[in-house]
Each structure stands twice: as C-alpha cells, then as structure tokens.
C-alpha cells in the first residue's frame, strides 16, 4: 500500500499560519511612523506599544501550550487565530496611546501559543525522524511573512491608509481558522485522509499517550530547561529589533527612504527564511554525526555567538549599505538556531511538548517585550542607535 501524505497537508497549514502570524506582527512596525504621526506618540510610547504585544504573548504562552496538551491543538489554534484576527482589525480603529496599548496587549494574548500548538500537532502527526525538518519549514515561513509585510504594508498604507491596512491583514486569519477547523483532527488515526500505511509511519517512535494526562512539572522544571529558555531569551531579544525598530533605524540612523527601508527589512527576513530551513538540516546532520548535545547545543550556541559578532560590526561600520547587509547576515545566522531549540523541546518534553515549547517561547517573548522599550530608552538617553545595536549584540 502506498502511504497517504496527509501529514504534509498539516505542514502546509502550519507554514501558512507562520506566514500570517508575522504578516500581522510586522505590519505594525511598518506603520509605526504613520501611527506616531497620527496619534502624536513618542519613541518611548511606541516602544511600549511594541512591548505590550510581546509581554502578553509571554504571559499567556505557557497556559496556551498547556491547553493544547490538555484539549488538543484543533480547538486551541482555532481560538488563537480568531482572537488575534479580531484585535488586528481593532488596531485599525485605535484613537490614542491607551487604546493602541490595550489592543496590542490583547492581540499578543490571543496569538500566544500559536507555535507551541503547531509543534504539539507535529508530535502527533510526524515521526521523530521528520520533526526537525518540519520545524525548520514552519519557521522558514515566519520570515517570508515578515518579509512580505513591509512592502505590502507600505503599498496598503499609501493606497488606503494605515488603519484599513490592519483590517486587510486581520481578515487573513479568519480564513485560515475556518479552513483549519474543517480539515484538522488531533488524532491522525481519525482523519479520513490518513491511510493505514501513513499511520504506521507516523507512529514510528511515538509512545502511546493517555488522554487528559497531568503535566509532570517536577520532571520538566530543571536546569536543562532553564538553559534552553535563556538561549531563546537571547534569540528573542535580537529578533524583536528586526521586527520592530529595524525600519526606523534604517531611516533615522542610516538615511534610507521608507521604500528603501522596507525593502532592506524584507531582505533581512528573507535571509532568516533560508537560514531557518538550513538550521533544521544542520542540527539533524550533527545529531547523527556527533550526538544530541553537540547537534542541538552546538548549533544554537555557534549561531548566536556568530550573530552577535556580526551585529557588533554592523553597529560601528560607517557605510549605510554595508551596515544593512551585515544586519541581514546577523539575522540569518541567528535563525540557524531556531530548529535546534525547538527540537530540544521535543527531545526533553515528549508528551508535554506543548507545555515545554510554551516555556521556552515565553522567555523569547520576555526578551522581545524588554527589547523595544529598552531600545526606545537607549535612543532617547544617548541619541545613538549604535549603542542600541551593541547592547543587542552583547546579549
């Protein structure tokens, strides 16, 4: 019997979801200048708006991942996508600083758990040997989403204004949520598109799981998990520079136009897309050759150190184009660490994969919550973007 390929349809759903999540996130960064002018906001206030989303994302990440472990990603992901779509649309009707802050927080609370629940669905639908590459593919999707958002948002803002652009981006999630609810099933054995041969492939190396199992927190909370979380904190701090302040930096510190800044921001995120999938193959290859510790930790550590060194050079170099290209390289090298980090969570989390990935991603979003505000204050205090980049490189 030829095996069906329904699990790859799941991968396409997850890839599309990752694109949409970053379309919505980067839209506000692209519209930041227009929002600040329209609502009369300072750089620090805009930094707090960026951070409100990420702080809420961090707060609700573990509960959303845990909920996916308890009731399944079909229900949880549908709720997540519809919620964040509503508040993406609501951002377009914000009238002052307080309303932007509130909508940003509720947007983040809604989107929390999207990636842990995607990962949780993989733990049921993909055999162990395919999970690393599957994660590499979905995180590759986050970067095209982020890369497409700047030019799309610039065009939409020019054509229909920044407010209506949020209505357009928000509608995409509603479509995805409806299709997901109709197609996906938590148990692949209950999906009509999965035949017996594919089910056999899926179940290779997957241990039977009890329904409504309790999370064994004592087994999960360890120094091992703490170091994984700290690794992703460092990654998240850097990532949110690229997602929030990069275009402002390119315009204010390097003298690029809005169109040039959006194009360069897209290049930065496309570099990350290629690196994400490359990092997935890299970590799988090193695990086979050198074992889990080197294959996971070696990739993550090497990528983050290399990224920091490249970003430090970008901070002090005088040529604007060279600085932009070095920033693109730094972002790409950092993204080599993503697949190994998420694969570690499945290695140590097993049946509690949603909860463990939620823990790790919480720290990434804590880094992301701190970064925009810290960068806003750094620019206000010292009037120099180079110091902001050097701090990010050091972290």
């Amino acid at each position: 019997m030829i095996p069906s390929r329904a699990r790859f349809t799941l991968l396409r759903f997850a890839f599309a979801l990752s694109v949409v999540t970053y379309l919505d996130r980067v839209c506000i960064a692209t519209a930041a200048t227009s929002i600040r002018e329209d609502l009369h906001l300072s750089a620090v206030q805009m930094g707090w708006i960026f951070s409100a989303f990420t702080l809420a994302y961090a707060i609700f990440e573990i509960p959303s991942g845990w909920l996916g472990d308890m009731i399944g990603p079909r229900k949880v992901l549908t709720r997540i996508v519809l919620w964040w779509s509503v508040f993406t649309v609501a951002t377009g009707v914000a009238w002052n600083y307080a309303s932007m802050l509130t909508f940003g927080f509720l947007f983040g609370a809604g989107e929390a758990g999207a990636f842990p629940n995607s990962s949780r669905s993989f733990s049921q639908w993909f055999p162990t040997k395919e999970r690393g590459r599957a994660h590499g593919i979905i995180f590759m999707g986050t970067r095209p989403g982020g890369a497409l958002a700047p030019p799309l948002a610039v065009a939409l803002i020019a054509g229909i204004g920044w407010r209506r652009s949020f209505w357009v981006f928000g509608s995409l999630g509603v479509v995805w949520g409806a299709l997901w609810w109709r197609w996906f099933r938590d148990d692949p054995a209950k999906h009509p598109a999965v035949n017996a041969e594919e089910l056999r492939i899926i179940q290779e190396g997957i241990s039977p799981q009890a329904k409504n199992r309790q999370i064994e927190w004592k087994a999960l909370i360890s120094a091992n998990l703490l170091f994984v979380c700290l690794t992703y904190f460092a990654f998240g701090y850097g990532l949110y520079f690229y997602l929030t302040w990069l275009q402002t930096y390119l315009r204010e510190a390097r003298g690029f136009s809005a169109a040039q800044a959006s194009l360069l921001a897209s290049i930065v995120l496309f570099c990350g897309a290629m690196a994400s999938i490359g990092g997935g193959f890299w970590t799988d290859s090193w695990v086979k050759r050198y074992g889990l510790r080197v294959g996971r930790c070696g990739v993550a550590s090497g990528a983050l150190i290399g990224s920091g060194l490249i970003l430090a050079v970008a901070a002090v170099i005088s040529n604007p184009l060279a600085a932009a290209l070095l920033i693109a390289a730094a972002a790409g090298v950092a993204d080599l660490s993503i697949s190994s980090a998420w694969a570690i969570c499945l290695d140590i989390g097993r049946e509690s994969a949603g909860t463990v990935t939620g823990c790790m991603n919480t720290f990434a979003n804590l880094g992301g919550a701190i970064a925009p505000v810290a960068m806003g204050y750094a620019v206000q205090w010292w009037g120099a973007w180079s110091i902001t980049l050097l701090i990010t490189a050091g972290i």
Side-chain angles (χ1 to χ4, degrees):
M1 178 186 293
I2 298 175
S4 55
R5 296 174 61 84
R7 67 190 186 282
F8 298 110
T9 299
L10 166 60
L11 188 58
R12 286 189 282 272
F13 265 101
F15 181 88
L17 177 65
S18 67
V19 171
V20 174
T21 60
Y22 274 73
L23 278 172
D24 290 348
R25 290 189 200 187
V26 178
C27 180
I28 192 169
T30 306
T33 300
S34 298
I35 293 170
R36 286 175 63 190
E37 291 173 354
D38 194 15
L39 302 183
H40 309 292
L41 304 177
S42 69
V44 170
Q45 286 177 318
M46 199 67 214
W48 276 109
I49 290 167
F50 289 147
S51 291
F53 164 87
T54 320
L55 180 62
Y57 199 109
I59 291 170
F60 290 95
E61 187 83 340
I62 294 174
S64 295
W66 169 83
L67 196 62
D69 287 333
M70 294 297 101
I71 66 174
R74 182 175 183 242
K75 292 179 180 178
V76 177
L77 273 176
T78 303
R79 188 275 304 169
I80 283 171
V81 175
L82 293 180
W83 178 286
W84 100 52
S85 298
V86 167
F87 285 102
T88 299
V89 172
T91 302
V93 299
W95 59 94
N96 59 15
Y97 172 59
S99 61
M100 281 293 295
L101 202 64
T102 301
F103 292 149
F105 184 88
L106 292 172
F107 175 17
E111 190 170 319
F115 289 109
N117 277 280
S118 293
S119 184
R120 184 68 176 84
S121 70
F122 286 0
S123 73
Q124 292 295 100
W125 276 73
F126 280 89
T128 303
K129 63 184 180 181
E130 294 179 359
R131 291 175 184 172
R133 284 168 287 178
H135 280 101
I137 290 169
I138 66 165
F139 284 103
M140 181 180 69
T142 64
R143 302 311 184 251
L148 289 170
L152 283 176
V154 166
L156 283 172
I157 291 167
I160 61 177
W162 70 267
R163 295 183 181 277
R164 291 188 179 89
S165 68
F166 282 98
W167 304 349
V168 173
F169 282 110
S171 65
L172 299 175
V174 176
V175 174
W176 188 95
L179 293 173
W180 170 260
W181 179 260
R182 180 178 179 181
W183 185 86
F184 184 72
R185 298 295 181 271
D186 293 323
D187 185 352
K190 298 179 180 179
H191 200 290
V194 178
N195 65 14
E197 184 60 21
E198 183 177 22
L199 189 61
R200 184 192 64 77
I201 293 172
I202 289 171
Q203 292 176 342
E204 288 179 358
I206 300 178
S207 60
Q209 300 178 29
K211 293 183 178 180
N212 298 321
R213 65 181 300 276
Q214 296 297 313
I215 302 299
E216 297 178 4
W217 291 103
K218 290 183 179 179
L220 294 179
I221 297 174
S222 64
N224 199 37
L225 179 60
L226 176 62
F227 276 104
V228 173
C229 291
L230 291 175
T231 299
Y232 225 49
F233 174 91
F235 171 79
Y237 190 97
L239 174 64
Y240 273 82
F241 166 69
Y242 308 124
L243 295 180
T244 57
W245 283 119
L246 175 59
Q247 292 184 65
T248 303
Y249 163 79
L250 292 172
R251 294 174 67 175
E252 294 183 3
R254 294 298 184 175
F256 292 103
S257 68
Q260 290 171 331
S262 69
L263 175 61
L264 289 168
S266 297
I267 292 172
V268 168
L269 292 166
F270 271 122
C271 287
M274 297 301 101
S276 295
I277 186 65
F281 284 98
W282 182 15
T283 186
D284 285 347
S285 173
W286 273 26
V287 165
K288 291 178 182 178
R289 184 175 299 180
Y290 304 114
L292 276 172
R293 177 167 181 160
V294 174
R296 303 297 193 216
C297 303
V299 171
S301 300
L304 290 177
I305 291 170
S307 176
L309 292 173
I310 295 169
L311 191 60
V313 176
V316 298
I317 198 169
S318 60
N319 185 284
L321 183 58
L325 294 176
L326 283 169
I327 288 172
V333 172
D335 277 3
L336 289 170
S337 70
I338 295 177
S339 294
S340 59
W342 284 79
I344 286 171
C345 290
L346 297 187
D347 296 337
I348 66 177
R350 302 180 185 276
E351 293 87 353
S352 303
T355 304
V356 174
T357 52
C359 289
M360 183 188 74
N361 216 25
T362 292
F363 274 72
N365 285 283
L366 287 174
I370 293 168
V373 175
M375 292 170 187
Y377 277 113
V379 173
Q380 180 173 287
W381 291 340
W382 295 302
W385 279 99
S386 60
I387 296 175
T388 298
L389 263 67
L390 287 171
I391 292 170
T392 305
I395 291 172

